[in-house]
């Protein structure tokens, strides 16, 4: 299976295949891309049936906010990943992250009640934060964890030189 049955998005396996294919054709110093990990904030506060509605809604909002050239996948319980192609500067990625945070943030009718949803983002960039898929994924995940620990609704970038993450404010 190449797609997530709940959302219809690419799954973890397809994301890995696409990332490996991209890494085979890019050259350091040439094309750049970013890997974003996106986590739905406070997902455990929803009932199981509400979670399914929320995940489908988040998937839809993210898909509408992305370009056709970007790959969106559901990679975990409440986690999505995006491969952003053709981003050359950190500010390019920040603009997309701002757009994604804004797209997800809002009210969602869960079938039971209206609930506010937000997400956290973690970002790693090729080749700045790694040239292998497992390193980029690990670094994006560390940045996502830092954003979630900050309370959610924000984005952190991995900083390879220090192994730490760096937040940025979106002014939402």
């Amino acid at each position: 299976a190449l797609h997530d049955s709940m959302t219809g998005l690419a799954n973890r396996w397809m994301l890995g295949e696409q990332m490996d294919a991209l890494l085979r054709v890019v050259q350091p110093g040439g094309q750049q891309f970013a890997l974003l990990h996106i986590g739905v904030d406070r997902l455990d506060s929803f009932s199981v049936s509400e979670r399914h509605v929320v995940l489908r809604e988040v998937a839809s909002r993210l898909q509408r906010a992305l370009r056709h050239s970007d790959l969106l996948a559901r990679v975990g319980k409440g986690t999505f990943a995006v491969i952003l192609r053709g981003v050359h500067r950190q500010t390019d990625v920040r603009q997309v992250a701002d757009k994604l945070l804004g797209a997800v943030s809002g009210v969602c009718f869960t079938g039971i009640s209206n609930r506010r949803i937000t997400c956290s983002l973690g970002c790693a960039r090729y080749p700045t934060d790694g040239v292998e898929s497992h390193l980029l994924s690990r670094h994006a995940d560390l940045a996502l964890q830092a954003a979630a620990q900050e309370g959610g609704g924000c984005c952190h970038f991995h900083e390879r030189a220090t192994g730490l993450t760096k937040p940025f404010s979106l002014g939402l």
Side-chain angles (χ1 to χ4, degrees), residues 124-163:
R125 294 178 300 141
Y126 171 90
T128 307
D129 299 317
V131 295
E132 297 173 349
S133 60
H134 72 279
L135 281 177
L136 288 167
S137 184
R138 173 79 174 129
H139 292 159
D141 194 52
L142 288 171
L144 171 60
Q145 290 174 28
Q149 288 173 357
E150 192 173 300
C154 65
C155 179
H156 274 242
F157 282 81
H158 183 266
E159 295 294 320
R160 185 170 183 170
T162 62

Side-chain angles (χ1 to χ4, degrees), residues 4 34 43 54 71 76 83 86 99-100 103 122 130-132 135 139 142 146:
D4 174 61
L43 188 62
V54 168
L71 176 68
I83 297 174
K99 186 176 180 181
L100 295 176
V131 295
E132 297 173 349
L135 281 177
H139 292 159
L142 288 171

Side-chain angles (χ1 to χ4, degrees), residues 1 5 12 18-19 44 52 62 64 66 69 74 112 116-117 131 146 152 168:
S5 61
R12 178 183 297 275
Q18 291 293 313
M19 180 116 64
D44 289 336
H52 292 184
L62 290 171
R64 286 192 307 267
L66 289 167
S69 61
R74 180 168 175 235
I112 298 171
R116 180 151 175 75
I117 54 173
V131 295
F168 73 89

Side-chain angles (χ1 to χ4, degrees), residues 46 61 72 90 97 102 118 140 151 154 171:
F46 296 93
R61 291 178 186 189
L72 174 62
Q90 189 168 355
T118 59
C154 65

